[in-house]
Each structure stands twice: as C-alpha cells, then as structure tokens.
Amino acid sequence: MRGLTARWRTWHDGHRRAVRLIRRLLLVGAAGAVLLAVATAASVAWVHGDAEGHVFTVADVPDAPVALVLGAKVEPDGAPSPFLAARLEIARQLYAAGRVKVVLVSGDHMDWDYDEPDAMRRWLVDRGVPAEKVVLDHAGFDTYDSCVRARRVFGVRRAIVVTQSFHLPRAVALCRHVGVTADGVGDDTARRYARQWRISSAREYGASVKAAVDVLSGRDPVHLGRRETGVDDALRAG
C-alpha cells in the first residue's frame, strides 16, 4: 500500500509540474504572438507611412534619371515570368515617355544558370529600349539589397521604383530610407493571376517586418562590391 501511495504521489507531482510547464509555455506563446502582431502592425504602418505621397501611375509620376526595376522569377527558358514582364512593361513605358533616361534592372544572379538581370535586359532591348540605356545589377538578392546597391554601388540619388503594387510601398520606403529619393509606379495587371497575387500580397506582412529589421540593423547587402559607373556612363551619354 505504501508503494502504491508513493507511486501515486510521484505521478501527481509530475503531473502538476507538467501542467505548470504547459501553462508557462502557453503564456510565453501568447506573449510572443502579441509581440509579433505589434511588430507586424508597426512595420506595415512604417512602410505605408514612408511611401505615402510617393506612389504614382506612369502618366503622373515625376521625372527621374533612373527607373529601378526590381527582379522577380525568370522561367527555365530564360523568359521573364508574367509578374516580371509586367514590371518591365512599365519601365519600357517610362523610358518611351521620357520619364526616365536609364533603366537599372536589379535581380538575382547568384547561380550561373539563373540570371534575372540579363533576362530583363533582353526583354527591354527586344522592345526598343537601347541596350546602352539598360544597366544590370546582378546582386539584387532582395528589395533591401537592390535599394542599397542602387545608392552605394551605382550612385543613384533619385529614381522611380517599379514593381507590383502590393510590393511598391515597401520598395519605396526602403529606397527612401537608404538615401534614394524614390517615387514608385506599381503594376496591377498581374492581378489576373489571382492565387499568386493573394499569396504574394499576404507575404508582405512578414516582408515588412524583415524590412524594418534590415533598416534598424543597417546591414550591408549580401554582396556590396565596388562602385560601378554604368548608370553614370549611361546618363552622360545623353
């Protein structure tokens, strides 16, 4: 009988400890969820607040020397994905209308067989933008890197940022924070890809938190590299 009582007490004490541990974990989880919600709300508010008044259409955006086109998926055959092609079409329109003099295409070329910037250049040149007016940034691995490299590597001080409309406030806010006086033009035509649009739009909440962390940390891009004169040379060429 004594052995049974001892075993019961041991089980009871273990059960109480487990319950206390679960309660603590639930409290920590709840506190973490609240903190994450607050951080997300604050980050989204910062993004949209900094971009307010700097989002335009092709027809009414103020002129700038450079259009900064942010990269997106390239298909296995080397063609821009529909989302990327829509961005490039806006850049083409900006150049044709005389809104910009140079197009800086910034994207991922980390692997030798995957080259967003070159696919972007080909698309623009095939549609009438002079090759000498398209400058390639091969290390635009994310939006923050593209903005920082535009300023620190390519010397861009004023630009029109081009991407999808759900992404545009974050892109404009980041570029403005790192020293590029940026306005933006966003694409809405890709809304016809409804599922991908919804998924990408939802990801902006987390991406806004990352953007705030990048800004607060002041990190360097994955690859900063040396100063490049491609934009300066293209602008000087007239």
Side-chain angles (χ1 to χ4, degrees), residues 148-195:
V148 172
R149 284 178 53 83
R151 179 68 186 89
R152 294 172 60 184
V153 174
F154 294 92
V156 175
R157 295 181 178 274
R158 178 166 176 74
I160 298 172
V161 185
V162 180
T163 183
Q164 266 67 50
S165 58
F166 62 77
H167 177 206
L168 191 60
R170 177 165 59 93
V172 169
L174 280 170
C175 279
R176 293 184 73 84
H177 181 83
V178 301
V180 179
T181 302
D183 295 313
V185 176
D187 163 68
D188 278 317
T189 66
R191 282 182 184 273
R192 65 184 182 273
Y193 303 98
R195 182 175 179 275

Short mmCIF file of all heavy atoms in Angstrom, two decimals, residues 148-195:
data_model
loop_
_atom_site.label_atom_id
_atom_site.label_comp_id
_atom_site.label_asym_id
_atom_site.label_seq_id
_atom_site.Cartn_x
_atom_site.Cartn_y
_atom_site.Cartn_z
N VAL A 148 19.90 49.45 -51.55
CA VAL A 148 21.21 49.85 -51.03
C VAL A 148 22.25 49.87 -52.15
O VAL A 148 23.05 50.82 -52.27
CB VAL A 148 21.66 48.93 -49.89
CG1 VAL A 148 23.11 49.24 -49.49
CG2 VAL A 148 20.75 49.10 -48.68
N ARG A 149 22.25 48.87 -52.99
CA ARG A 149 23.22 48.81 -54.07
C ARG A 149 22.96 49.92 -55.10
O ARG A 149 23.91 50.48 -55.66
CB ARG A 149 23.20 47.43 -54.74
CG ARG A 149 23.92 46.37 -53.90
CD ARG A 149 23.84 44.99 -54.56
NE ARG A 149 24.31 45.01 -55.93
CZ ARG A 149 25.59 44.93 -56.31
NH1 ARG A 149 26.55 44.85 -55.39
NH2 ARG A 149 25.91 44.94 -57.59
N ALA A 150 21.69 50.24 -55.35
CA ALA A 150 21.41 51.35 -56.27
C ALA A 150 22.09 52.63 -55.77
O ALA A 150 22.67 53.37 -56.58
CB ALA A 150 19.90 51.56 -56.39
N ARG A 151 22.04 52.85 -54.48
CA ARG A 151 22.64 54.08 -53.93
C ARG A 151 24.15 53.97 -53.79
O ARG A 151 24.89 54.85 -54.24
CB ARG A 151 22.01 54.37 -52.55
CG ARG A 151 22.59 55.61 -51.86
CD ARG A 151 22.20 56.87 -52.62
NE ARG A 151 22.86 58.04 -52.07
CZ ARG A 151 24.05 58.48 -52.46
NH1 ARG A 151 24.72 57.81 -53.41
NH2 ARG A 151 24.57 59.55 -51.94
N ARG A 152 24.65 52.91 -53.18
CA ARG A 152 26.05 52.84 -52.81
C ARG A 152 26.96 52.30 -53.90
O ARG A 152 28.14 52.65 -53.97
CB ARG A 152 26.21 52.01 -51.53
CG ARG A 152 25.56 52.67 -50.32
CD ARG A 152 25.55 51.77 -49.10
NE ARG A 152 26.89 51.40 -48.68
CZ ARG A 152 27.13 50.56 -47.67
NH1 ARG A 152 26.12 49.99 -47.01
NH2 ARG A 152 28.38 50.25 -47.33
N VAL A 153 26.43 51.43 -54.77
CA VAL A 153 27.24 50.85 -55.83
C VAL A 153 27.08 51.63 -57.13
O VAL A 153 28.06 51.94 -57.81
CB VAL A 153 26.90 49.36 -56.05
CG1 VAL A 153 27.65 48.81 -57.26
CG2 VAL A 153 27.24 48.55 -54.79
N PHE A 154 25.84 52.00 -57.46
CA PHE A 154 25.57 52.65 -58.75
C PHE A 154 25.38 54.16 -58.63
O PHE A 154 25.22 54.84 -59.64
CB PHE A 154 24.34 52.02 -59.41
CG PHE A 154 24.56 50.59 -59.83
CD1 PHE A 154 24.24 49.55 -58.97
CD2 PHE A 154 25.14 50.29 -61.05
CE1 PHE A 154 24.45 48.23 -59.33
CE2 PHE A 154 25.36 48.98 -61.43
CZ PHE A 154 25.02 47.94 -60.57
N GLY A 155 25.42 54.69 -57.41
CA GLY A 155 25.37 56.14 -57.22
C GLY A 155 24.03 56.77 -57.55
O GLY A 155 23.96 57.99 -57.82
N VAL A 156 22.94 56.01 -57.49
CA VAL A 156 21.62 56.55 -57.81
C VAL A 156 21.12 57.39 -56.64
O VAL A 156 21.08 56.92 -55.51
CB VAL A 156 20.62 55.41 -58.11
CG1 VAL A 156 19.22 55.98 -58.33
CG2 VAL A 156 21.07 54.61 -59.32
N ARG A 157 20.74 58.62 -56.95
CA ARG A 157 20.21 59.51 -55.91
C ARG A 157 18.71 59.73 -56.05
O ARG A 157 18.03 60.02 -55.07
CB ARG A 157 20.94 60.86 -55.94
CG ARG A 157 22.41 60.74 -55.58
CD ARG A 157 23.10 62.11 -55.60
NE ARG A 157 24.50 61.98 -55.20
CZ ARG A 157 24.92 62.00 -53.94
NH1 ARG A 157 24.05 62.13 -52.95
NH2 ARG A 157 26.20 61.88 -53.65
N ARG A 158 18.21 59.63 -57.27
CA ARG A 158 16.77 59.79 -57.50
C ARG A 158 16.33 58.73 -58.50
O ARG A 158 17.00 58.50 -59.52
CB ARG A 158 16.46 61.19 -58.02
CG ARG A 158 14.98 61.40 -58.32
CD ARG A 158 14.60 62.85 -58.52
NE ARG A 158 13.21 62.97 -58.88
CZ ARG A 158 12.18 62.81 -58.06
NH1 ARG A 158 12.41 62.54 -56.80
NH2 ARG A 158 10.94 62.93 -58.47
N ALA A 159 15.18 58.10 -58.21
CA ALA A 159 14.74 57.00 -59.08
C ALA A 159 13.23 56.83 -58.98
O ALA A 159 12.59 57.24 -58.02
CB ALA A 159 15.43 55.70 -58.69
N ILE A 160 12.70 56.19 -60.02
CA ILE A 160 11.34 55.67 -60.00
C ILE A 160 11.45 54.15 -59.81
O ILE A 160 12.05 53.47 -60.63
CB ILE A 160 10.60 55.98 -61.31
CG1 ILE A 160 10.48 57.49 -61.51
CG2 ILE A 160 9.20 55.35 -61.28
CD1 ILE A 160 9.93 57.88 -62.87
N VAL A 161 10.92 53.66 -58.72
CA VAL A 161 10.97 52.24 -58.43
C VAL A 161 9.77 51.56 -59.08
O VAL A 161 8.65 52.05 -59.01
CB VAL A 161 10.95 51.97 -56.91
CG1 VAL A 161 11.13 50.48 -56.63
CG2 VAL A 161 12.06 52.77 -56.22
N VAL A 162 10.02 50.41 -59.71
CA VAL A 162 8.97 49.70 -60.44
C VAL A 162 8.84 48.27 -59.93
O VAL A 162 9.83 47.53 -59.90
CB VAL A 162 9.27 49.68 -61.96
CG1 VAL A 162 8.16 48.94 -62.70
CG2 VAL A 162 9.43 51.09 -62.50
N THR A 163 7.62 47.91 -59.53
CA THR A 163 7.32 46.55 -59.09
C THR A 163 5.81 46.38 -59.09
O THR A 163 5.09 47.24 -59.59
CB THR A 163 7.93 46.27 -57.70
OG1 THR A 163 7.69 44.90 -57.33
CG2 THR A 163 7.39 47.20 -56.64
N GLN A 164 5.30 45.29 -58.49
CA GLN A 164 3.85 45.15 -58.37
C GLN A 164 3.32 46.09 -57.28
O GLN A 164 4.05 46.44 -56.34
CB GLN A 164 3.45 43.72 -58.04
CG GLN A 164 3.10 42.87 -59.26
CD GLN A 164 4.29 42.61 -60.18
OE1 GLN A 164 5.34 42.19 -59.72
NE2 GLN A 164 4.12 42.85 -61.47
N SER A 165 2.06 46.45 -57.36
CA SER A 165 1.51 47.45 -56.44
C SER A 165 1.51 46.98 -54.99
O SER A 165 1.68 47.80 -54.08
CB SER A 165 0.10 47.86 -56.87
OG SER A 165 -0.75 46.74 -56.93
N PHE A 166 1.35 45.67 -54.74
CA PHE A 166 1.36 45.21 -53.35
C PHE A 166 2.75 45.32 -52.73
O PHE A 166 2.88 45.42 -51.51
CB PHE A 166 0.84 43.76 -53.26
CG PHE A 166 1.67 42.75 -54.01
CD1 PHE A 166 2.87 42.28 -53.52
CD2 PHE A 166 1.22 42.27 -55.23
CE1 PHE A 166 3.63 41.35 -54.22
CE2 PHE A 166 1.96 41.32 -55.94
CZ PHE A 166 3.16 40.87 -55.43
N HIS A 167 3.77 45.31 -53.55
CA HIS A 167 5.16 45.36 -53.11
C HIS A 167 5.70 46.78 -53.08
O HIS A 167 6.69 47.08 -52.41
CB HIS A 167 5.98 44.48 -54.08
CG HIS A 167 7.45 44.45 -53.85
ND1 HIS A 167 8.35 44.18 -54.86
CD2 HIS A 167 8.21 44.67 -52.75
CE1 HIS A 167 9.58 44.22 -54.38
NE2 HIS A 167 9.53 44.51 -53.10
N LEU A 168 5.03 47.68 -53.78
CA LEU A 168 5.59 49.01 -54.02
C LEU A 168 5.82 49.83 -52.76
O LEU A 168 6.88 50.47 -52.64
CB LEU A 168 4.69 49.77 -55.00
CG LEU A 168 5.27 51.06 -55.57
CD1 LEU A 168 6.56 50.80 -56.35
CD2 LEU A 168 4.25 51.73 -56.48
N PRO A 169 4.88 49.90 -51.80
CA PRO A 169 5.16 50.72 -50.61
C PRO A 169 6.44 50.31 -49.88
O PRO A 169 7.22 51.17 -49.47
CB PRO A 169 3.91 50.50 -49.75
CG PRO A 169 2.84 50.18 -50.72
CD PRO A 169 3.51 49.35 -51.79
N ARG A 170 6.66 49.01 -49.76
CA ARG A 170 7.89 48.56 -49.08
C ARG A 170 9.13 48.95 -49.88
O ARG A 170 10.14 49.40 -49.30
CB ARG A 170 7.82 47.04 -48.87
CG ARG A 170 9.07 46.44 -48.25
CD ARG A 170 8.79 45.03 -47.73
NE ARG A 170 8.35 44.12 -48.77
CZ ARG A 170 9.17 43.33 -49.48
NH1 ARG A 170 10.48 43.36 -49.26
NH2 ARG A 170 8.67 42.51 -50.39
N ALA A 171 9.07 48.79 -51.19
CA ALA A 171 10.22 49.14 -52.03
C ALA A 171 10.53 50.64 -51.95
O ALA A 171 11.69 51.04 -51.82
CB ALA A 171 9.96 48.72 -53.47
N VAL A 172 9.50 51.46 -52.04
CA VAL A 172 9.70 52.90 -51.97
C VAL A 172 10.24 53.30 -50.59
O VAL A 172 11.18 54.10 -50.48
CB VAL A 172 8.38 53.65 -52.28
CG1 VAL A 172 8.50 55.13 -51.95
CG2 VAL A 172 8.00 53.47 -53.75
N ALA A 173 9.65 52.76 -49.54
CA ALA A 173 10.09 53.10 -48.18
C ALA A 173 11.55 52.72 -47.96
O ALA A 173 12.33 53.50 -47.38
CB ALA A 173 9.20 52.42 -47.15
N LEU A 174 11.94 51.52 -48.41
CA LEU A 174 13.33 51.09 -48.22
C LEU A 174 14.28 51.98 -49.01
O LEU A 174 15.32 52.40 -48.49
CB LEU A 174 13.48 49.64 -48.65
CG LEU A 174 13.02 48.59 -47.64
CD1 LEU A 174 13.00 47.20 -48.25
CD2 LEU A 174 13.93 48.60 -46.40
N CYS A 175 13.96 52.25 -50.28
CA CYS A 175 14.86 53.08 -51.07
C CYS A 175 15.00 54.48 -50.47
O CYS A 175 16.11 55.02 -50.41
CB CYS A 175 14.35 53.16 -52.52
SG CYS A 175 14.79 51.71 -53.52
N ARG A 176 13.91 55.05 -50.03
CA ARG A 176 13.98 56.38 -49.44
C ARG A 176 14.81 56.36 -48.15
O ARG A 176 15.55 57.30 -47.87
CB ARG A 176 12.58 56.93 -49.19
CG ARG A 176 11.81 57.19 -50.49
CD ARG A 176 10.46 57.84 -50.23
NE ARG A 176 10.61 59.22 -49.84
CZ ARG A 176 10.74 60.24 -50.68
NH1 ARG A 176 10.77 60.05 -51.99
NH2 ARG A 176 10.87 61.47 -50.22
N HIS A 177 14.68 55.30 -47.39
CA HIS A 177 15.43 55.23 -46.13
C HIS A 177 16.94 55.15 -46.37
O HIS A 177 17.71 55.71 -45.58
CB HIS A 177 14.99 54.03 -45.30
CG HIS A 177 15.70 53.94 -44.00
ND1 HIS A 177 15.33 54.67 -42.87
CD2 HIS A 177 16.81 53.24 -43.63
CE1 HIS A 177 16.16 54.40 -41.88
NE2 HIS A 177 17.08 53.55 -42.32
N VAL A 178 17.37 54.47 -47.44
CA VAL A 178 18.81 54.28 -47.66
C VAL A 178 19.42 55.39 -48.51
O VAL A 178 20.57 55.29 -48.91
CB VAL A 178 19.12 52.90 -48.27
CG1 VAL A 178 18.61 51.79 -47.35
CG2 VAL A 178 18.53 52.77 -49.67
N GLY A 179 18.65 56.44 -48.82
CA GLY A 179 19.24 57.60 -49.47
C GLY A 179 18.87 57.81 -50.92
O GLY A 179 19.44 58.69 -51.57
N VAL A 180 17.93 57.02 -51.44
CA VAL A 180 17.46 57.23 -52.81
C VAL A 180 16.13 57.97 -52.73
O VAL A 180 15.18 57.48 -52.13
CB VAL A 180 17.25 55.90 -53.56
CG1 VAL A 180 16.73 56.17 -54.97
CG2 VAL A 180 18.55 55.10 -53.61
N THR A 181 16.07 59.16 -53.31
CA THR A 181 14.81 59.90 -53.36
C THR A 181 13.93 59.19 -54.38
O THR A 181 14.09 59.35 -55.59
CB THR A 181 15.04 61.36 -53.76
OG1 THR A 181 15.93 61.96 -52.81
CG2 THR A 181 13.73 62.14 -53.79
N ALA A 182 13.02 58.38 -53.87
CA ALA A 182 12.29 57.45 -54.73
C ALA A 182 10.81 57.74 -54.76
O ALA A 182 10.18 58.01 -53.73
CB ALA A 182 12.51 56.02 -54.24
N ASP A 183 10.25 57.70 -55.96
CA ASP A 183 8.83 57.56 -56.18
C ASP A 183 8.63 56.18 -56.81
O ASP A 183 9.60 55.52 -57.20
CB ASP A 183 8.30 58.65 -57.10
CG ASP A 183 8.41 60.04 -56.47
OD1 ASP A 183 8.02 60.18 -55.30
OD2 ASP A 183 8.89 60.97 -57.15
N GLY A 184 7.38 55.75 -56.91
CA GLY A 184 7.17 54.42 -57.43
C GLY A 184 5.96 54.32 -58.33
O GLY A 184 5.00 55.09 -58.22
N VAL A 185 6.03 53.37 -59.25
CA VAL A 185 4.90 53.01 -60.10
C VAL A 185 4.69 51.51 -59.96
O VAL A 185 5.63 50.73 -60.12
CB VAL A 185 5.15 53.37 -61.58
CG1 VAL A 185 3.99 52.90 -62.44
CG2 VAL A 185 5.36 54.87 -61.74
N GLY A 186 3.46 51.12 -59.65
CA GLY A 186 3.16 49.72 -59.41
C GLY A 186 2.29 49.11 -60.49
O GLY A 186 1.44 49.78 -61.08
N ASP A 187 2.51 47.84 -60.72
CA ASP A 187 1.72 47.10 -61.71
C ASP A 187 0.53 46.43 -61.03
O ASP A 187 0.66 45.83 -59.97
CB ASP A 187 2.57 46.01 -62.36
CG ASP A 187 1.70 44.98 -63.06
OD1 ASP A 187 1.07 45.34 -64.07
OD2 ASP A 187 1.62 43.83 -62.56
N ASP A 188 -0.63 46.54 -61.68
CA ASP A 188 -1.83 45.84 -61.23
C ASP A 188 -2.31 44.81 -62.25
O ASP A 188 -3.25 44.06 -61.97
CB ASP A 188 -2.96 46.83 -60.96
CG ASP A 188 -2.84 47.48 -59.59
OD1 ASP A 188 -2.55 46.76 -58.62
OD2 ASP A 188 -3.01 48.71 -59.49
N THR A 189 -1.70 44.76 -63.41
CA THR A 189 -2.20 43.84 -64.45
C THR A 189 -2.04 42.39 -64.03
O THR A 189 -2.81 41.53 -64.46
CB THR A 189 -1.48 44.08 -65.78
OG1 THR A 189 -0.09 43.72 -65.65
CG2 THR A 189 -1.57 45.53 -66.23
N ALA A 190 -1.04 42.11 -63.19
CA ALA A 190 -0.81 40.72 -62.77
C ALA A 190 -1.85 40.24 -61.76
O ALA A 190 -1.80 39.08 -61.33
CB ALA A 190 0.59 40.58 -62.18
N ARG A 191 -2.79 41.08 -61.40
CA ARG A 191 -3.90 40.63 -60.54
C ARG A 191 -4.67 39.48 -61.17
O ARG A 191 -5.35 38.71 -60.48
CB ARG A 191 -4.86 41.78 -60.27
CG ARG A 191 -4.40 42.77 -59.22
CD ARG A 191 -5.47 43.83 -59.00
NE ARG A 191 -5.03 44.85 -58.07
CZ ARG A 191 -5.16 44.79 -56.75
NH1 ARG A 191 -5.72 43.72 -56.21
NH2 ARG A 191 -4.73 45.78 -55.99
N ARG A 192 -4.58 39.36 -62.49
CA ARG A 192 -5.32 38.27 -63.14
C ARG A 192 -4.80 36.91 -62.71
O ARG A 192 -5.50 35.90 -62.86
CB ARG A 192 -5.26 38.42 -64.66
CG ARG A 192 -3.89 38.27 -65.28
CD ARG A 192 -3.97 38.55 -66.79
NE ARG A 192 -2.71 38.38 -67.49
CZ ARG A 192 -1.80 39.34 -67.62
NH1 ARG A 192 -2.02 40.53 -67.09
NH2 ARG A 192 -0.67 39.12 -68.29
N TYR A 193 -3.59 36.86 -62.20
CA TYR A 193 -3.06 35.63 -61.60
C TYR A 193 -3.46 35.66 -60.12
O TYR A 193 -2.63 35.89 -59.23
CB TYR A 193 -1.55 35.55 -61.78
CG TYR A 193 -1.15 35.62 -63.23
CD1 TYR A 193 -0.73 36.83 -63.80
CD2 TYR A 193 -1.22 34.50 -64.05
CE1 TYR A 193 -0.37 36.91 -65.14
CE2 TYR A 193 -0.87 34.57 -65.40
CZ TYR A 193 -0.46 35.78 -65.92
OH TYR A 193 -0.12 35.86 -67.25
N ALA A 194 -4.72 35.43 -59.87
CA ALA A 194 -5.33 35.76 -58.57
C ALA A 194 -4.68 35.02 -57.40
O ALA A 194 -4.40 35.61 -56.36
CB ALA A 194 -6.82 35.47 -58.61
N ARG A 195 -4.43 33.73 -57.57
CA ARG A 195 -3.88 32.96 -56.45
C ARG A 195 -2.48 33.44 -56.09
O ARG A 195 -2.17 33.67 -54.92
CB ARG A 195 -3.86 31.47 -56.81
CG ARG A 195 -3.33 30.58 -55.69
CD ARG A 195 -3.44 29.10 -56.04
NE ARG A 195 -2.92 28.26 -54.99
CZ ARG A 195 -1.62 27.95 -54.86
NH1 ARG A 195 -0.74 28.40 -55.74
NH2 ARG A 195 -1.21 27.18 -53.86
#
